[in-house]
């Protein structure tokens, strides 16, 4: 018989009709002559209840039915007697496609710690929490393409192996053509890791932005969406060595248009999740509420997950300049009581404690900070005119979210050749390797802007997960590197 997905079967009202479902056992329990199996196939957060009449099918029919086993069940769809589900399946035959020895299967029918689940990443998607996160991850990836397609943006595939270093921060993974069996050696006999990719120094991309600019200055509005690599800081709950980034890049957009798009984009994605994944979000909402209830009262979030998502969809993000943000921080009680670990003064790169203060304590909502000091931002950002000496700024913007911190970084780009050349010189950057980037300013330059949204940071916000490793199926950490 053809398999019906559980998500479809649960919606069906074709009572008494024959049906086949396949999936993995969550739990099994029994009472006088009847066994109840909760079966899940990943198509929904909900399980299908399988009712087994042991007198009819025999005790042996469930002998190998344990948590984790994979079953194919033929039966009849019937209205459910119990609460919690509308239909269930009266089993007629149960085939065990793959048994799971309960003594050895690592996933038990109980709540496991996140750390334990990370160590068992190969079974993690079988848990409710992770299958939910993965459904949302899929849904939002789809919504990203839908959003841009509807707006007439083109999906540009930027390279993963590249010679460019968009952020200039030197946090790159080098790519070499090293032959492991016969590696080139240095004069002192050590492996020479400076061997290059066909004679060039290349790295895994830290951002598709510079290539995105090539697209924007020909096609108008483009976006990239792919894996991105940074060799730093991967030991925090908000950083990954391999993460996914969405980078729209638009000709004829000024910074203000860029901010408008960033807000519209995030609101669209959050609304998409609310409209299309209500059951998954309800589950995550309850999960988070449980987690919050274990925190100290003053650390507890005032809003539930769904409430937070609705708030973001319904309210404009607050927009303030970097300079205004510094003034707010300086006049705050936090500053007066000396509670900030890092000193606040104009020119500093804001630390996460400062960002958190602004979004979580002061504004209690998403904030877009813009016009940052030139010295703490990347070379390509457009310089503001009429600046106070010593307080030069660039047309940068960061979108900060409660509980997450920076979710988007972006800017208007410097489109004037001479200014860009001068900045590259000031920073001692290798101008030769940027010849093509400068060519874009030499021939048919135009004002343009763009930003990068960290996909996993967005997912943390939407799912309420507190560690970034729990919103990506295979986080790149030493412990999970075997996949
Ligand atoms: O602020 P970033 O470094 O900006 C850029 O890469 C620009 N080239 C984007 C652009 O203008 N096209 O990174 C953008 C976003 C951050 O706001 C953050 O959400 C995410 O990417 N991000 C990370 N996410 C997870 N792990 C990391 N190590 C991340 N580094 C950045
Ligand atoms: Mg940034």
């Amino acid at each position: 018989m053809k398999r019906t997905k559980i998500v479809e079967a649960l919606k069906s009202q074709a009572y008494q009709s024959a049906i086949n479902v396949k999936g993995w056992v969550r739990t099994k329990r029994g009472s006088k002559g009847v066994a109840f199996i909760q079966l899940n196939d990943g198509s929904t957060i909900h399980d299908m209840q399988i009712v087994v009449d042991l007198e009819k099918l025999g005790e042996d029919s469930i002998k190998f039915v344990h948590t984790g086993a994979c079953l194919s069940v033929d039966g009849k769809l019937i209205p459910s007697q119990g609460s919690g589900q509308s239909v269930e399946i009266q089993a007629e035959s149960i085939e065990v496609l793959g048994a799971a020895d309960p003594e050895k299967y690592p996933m038990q029918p109980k709540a496991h710690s996140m750390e334990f689940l990370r160590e068992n990443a190969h079974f993690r998607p079988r848990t409710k929490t992770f299958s939910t996160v993965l459904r949302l991850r899929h849904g939002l990836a789809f919504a990203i393409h839908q959003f841009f397609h509807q707006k007439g943006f083109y999906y540009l595939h930027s390279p993963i192996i590249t010679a460019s270093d968009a952020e200039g921060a030197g946090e790159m993974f080098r790519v070499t053509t090293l032959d492991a069996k016969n590696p080139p050696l240095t004069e002192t006999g050590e492996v020479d890791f400076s061997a290059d990719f066909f004679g060039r120094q290349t790295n895994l991309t830290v951002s598709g932005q510079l290539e995105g600019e090539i697209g924007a200055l020909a096609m108008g509005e483009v976006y990239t969406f792919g894996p991105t690599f940074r060799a730093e800081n991967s030991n925090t709950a908000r950083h990954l060595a391999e993460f996914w980034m969405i980078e729209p890049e638009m000709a004829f957009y000024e910074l203000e248009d860029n901010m408008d798009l960033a807000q519209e984009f995030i609101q669209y994605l959050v609304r998409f999740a609310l409209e299309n994944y209500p059951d998954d979000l309800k589950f995550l909402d309850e999960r988070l509420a449980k987690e919050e209830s274990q925190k100290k009262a003053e650390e507890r979030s005032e809003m539930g997950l769904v409430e937070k998502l609705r708030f973001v969809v319904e309210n404009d993000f607050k927009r303030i300049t970097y300079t205004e943000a510094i003034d707010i921080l300086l006049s705050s009680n936090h500053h007066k009581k000396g509670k900030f670990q890092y000193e606040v003064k104009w020119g500093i790169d804001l630390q996460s404690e400062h960002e958190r203060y602004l979004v979580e304590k002061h504004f209690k909502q998403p904030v877009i900070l813009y016009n940052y000091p030139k010295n703490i931002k990347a070379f390509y950002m457009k310089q503001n005119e009429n600046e106070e000496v010593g307080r030069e700024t660039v047309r940068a913007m960061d979108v900060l979210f409660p509980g997450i911190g920076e979710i988007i970084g972006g800017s208007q780009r410097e489109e004037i050749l001479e200014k860009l050349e001068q900045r590259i010189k000031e920073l001692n950057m290798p101008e030769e390797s940027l010849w093509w980037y400068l060519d874009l300013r030499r021939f048919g330059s135009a004002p343009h802007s763009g930003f990068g949204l960290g996909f996993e940071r967005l997912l943390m916000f939407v799912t309420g997960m507190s560690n970034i490793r729990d919103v990506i199926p295979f986080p790149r950490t030493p412990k999970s590197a075997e996949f």
Side-chain angles (χ1 to χ4, degrees):
M1 204 188 306
K2 194 167 173 288
R3 168 193 174 213
T4 301
K5 284 195 181 181
I6 289 174
V7 66
E8 297 307 325
L10 287 173
K11 282 188 238 159
S12 172
Q13 292 186 338
Y15 301 134
Q16 304 306 325
S17 63
I19 191 165
N20 170 272
V21 292
K22 294 181 171 63
W24 292 265
V25 176
R26 271 202 204 289
T27 57
K28 176 184 76 171
R29 64 194 161 85
S31 66
K32 287 176 250 132
V34 196
F36 298 96
I37 302 167
Q38 301 297 324
L39 199 69
N40 190 277
D41 67 359
S43 62
T44 159
I45 182 78
H46 303 296
D47 301 331
M48 177 60 86
Q49 173 151 286
I50 312 290
V51 184
V52 190
D53 181 342
L54 294 173
E55 274 163 35
K56 207 166 124 203
L57 296 188
E59 293 283 342
D60 275 1
S61 66
I62 56 163
K63 195 164 146 199
F64 294 106
V65 173
H66 299 292
T67 296
C70 185
L71 309 184
S72 174
V73 178
D74 285 333
K76 236 190 239 151
L77 194 74
I78 53 172
S80 179
Q81 310 294 315
S83 58
Q85 67 272 327
S86 55
V87 294
E88 58 194 22
I89 290 174
Q90 181 78 48
E92 272 155 18
S93 76
I94 297 175
E95 185 188 351
V96 179
L97 298 175
D101 183 343
E103 300 291 311
K104 295 184 181 147
Y105 185 55
M107 314 299 278
Q108 297 301 314
K110 60 161 197 179
H112 289 288
S113 75
M114 291 292 128
E115 191 52 43
F116 175 86
L117 294 179
R118 272 172 231 144
E119 285 164 13
N120 286 279
H122 56 314
F123 289 131
R124 203 160 75 138
R126 292 189 190 176
T127 65
K128 282 198 171 191
T129 303
F130 282 90
S131 60
T132 293
V133 167
L134 292 182
R135 273 188 295 278
L136 277 157
R137 189 174 169 108
H138 158 83
L140 289 176
F142 170 79
I144 285 162
H145 289 299
Q146 183 165 277
F147 174 81
F148 287 123
H149 181 71
Q150 282 170 358
K151 290 184 82 72
F153 283 56
Y154 298 109
Y155 182 23
L156 183 82
H157 296 112
S158 50
I160 287 180
I161 299 176
T162 175
S164 71
D165 170 12
E167 297 308 298
E171 302 147 349
M172 303 180 297
F173 290 103
R174 283 283 300 280
V175 176
T176 77
T177 47
L178 203 70
D179 174 350
K181 286 202 186 112
N182 200 5
L185 301 177
T186 60
E187 281 173 13
T188 51
E190 281 133 23
V191 175
D192 181 3
F193 284 105
S194 67
D196 291 326
F197 179 77
F198 305 122
R200 292 212 63 140
Q201 255 199 25
T202 51
N203 51 273
L204 297 179
T205 184
V206 295
S207 158
Q209 178 198 319
L210 304 192
E211 292 84 1
E213 290 182 53
I214 296 177
L217 292 174
M219 309 285 287
E221 294 168 331
V222 301
Y223 68 104
T224 72
F225 181 12
T228 311
F229 306 85
R230 305 233 173 137
E232 48 97 43
N233 241 344
S234 48
N235 268 331
T236 78
R238 300 185 311 134
H239 290 86
L240 289 164
E242 177 178 320
F243 65 99
W244 285 62
M245 184 154 58
I246 304 103
E247 295 185 274
E249 190 69 34
M250 300 76 62
F252 321 121
Y253 273 51
E254 309 261 338
L255 186 64
E256 292 68 27
D257 309 310
N258 207 21
M259 293 193 224
D260 291 345
L261 184 74
Q263 179 182 319
E264 185 190 345
F265 181 42
I266 294 186
Q267 287 181 329
Y268 178 92
L269 297 177
V270 174
R271 192 179 304 114
F272 184 94
L274 284 166
E275 285 172 2
N276 292 281
Y277 292 87
D279 293 3
D280 288 297
L281 289 178
K282 182 166 177 276
F283 170 79
L284 291 168
D285 199 337
E286 288 162 2
R287 181 188 171 281
L288 190 67
K290 226 183 275 166
E291 218 176 76
E292 289 289 310
S293 69
Q294 284 157 9
K295 289 187 185 164
K296 283 189 240 146
E298 65 271 20
E299 285 168 17
R300 233 171 268 161
S301 165
E302 287 164 25
M303 283 192 228
L305 179 66
V306 170
E307 218 181 329
K308 272 191 228 168
L309 300 183
R310 292 224 174 89
F311 183 92
V312 162
V313 167
E314 288 161 8
N315 293 281
D316 283 337
F317 302 175
K318 182 84 193 161
R319 298 180 188 189
I320 58 163
T321 64
Y322 169 92
T323 304
E324 285 164 339
I326 291 289
D327 289 344
I328 290 170
L329 292 171
L330 284 174
S331 56
S332 71
N333 265 336
H334 236 65
H335 181 258
K336 288 182 191 139
K337 289 186 187 152
K339 282 198 182 165
F340 288 125
Q341 199 186 334
Y342 292 90
E343 195 193 346
V344 180
K345 61 175 184 213
W346 201 97
I348 60 160
D349 206 354
L350 294 177
Q351 300 296 314
S352 90
E353 59 173 344
H354 306 135
E355 297 180 343
R356 296 192 86 121
Y357 180 85
L358 290 168
V359 286
E360 286 161 23
K361 298 242 158 45
H362 189 82
F363 290 111
K364 301 189 178 182
Q365 67 162 109
V367 175
I368 308 184
L369 285 188
Y370 62 99
N371 287 353
Y372 278 81
K374 173 175 151 183
N375 287 340
I376 57 168
K377 288 291 182 183
F379 76 98
Y380 52 70
M381 296 187 178
K382 184 163 180 64
Q383 297 164 42
N384 275 313
E385 304 286 345
N386 309 322
E387 296 282 60
E388 258 178 79
V389 177
R391 284 205 169 193
E392 290 87 0
T393 59
V394 285
R395 313 208 75 199
M397 63 174 215
D398 275 7
V399 181
L400 311 179
F401 259 53
I404 311 289
E406 181 190 333
I407 193 166
I408 278 181
S411 68
Q412 185 169 342
R413 321 304 189 191
E414 184 56 80
E415 85 277 19
I416 300 168
L417 179 66
E418 296 70 30
K419 288 203 166 171
L420 192 58
E421 279 177 332
Q422 201 204 330
R423 190 74 188 123
I424 288 172
K425 273 200 195 84
E426 276 167 23
L427 292 169
N428 272 327
M429 293 175 64
E431 196 174 325
E432 324 77 71
S433 64
L434 286 167
W435 64 272
W436 55 273
Y437 192 70
L438 292 167
D439 257 7
L440 297 174
R441 277 77 182 163
R442 239 172 234 127
F443 308 104
S445 190
H448 62 290
S449 301
F451 61 82
L453 168 67
F455 190 37
E456 286 76 20
R457 300 249 176 112
L458 173 77
L459 279 165
M460 286 175 78
F461 180 72
V462 172
T463 62
M465 302 299 282
S466 51
N467 191 314
I468 198 164
R469 294 170 195 192
D470 300 333
V471 295
I472 185 163
F474 306 107
R476 298 300 71 185
T477 64
K479 276 190 183 159
S480 63
E482 53 256 50
F483 300 101

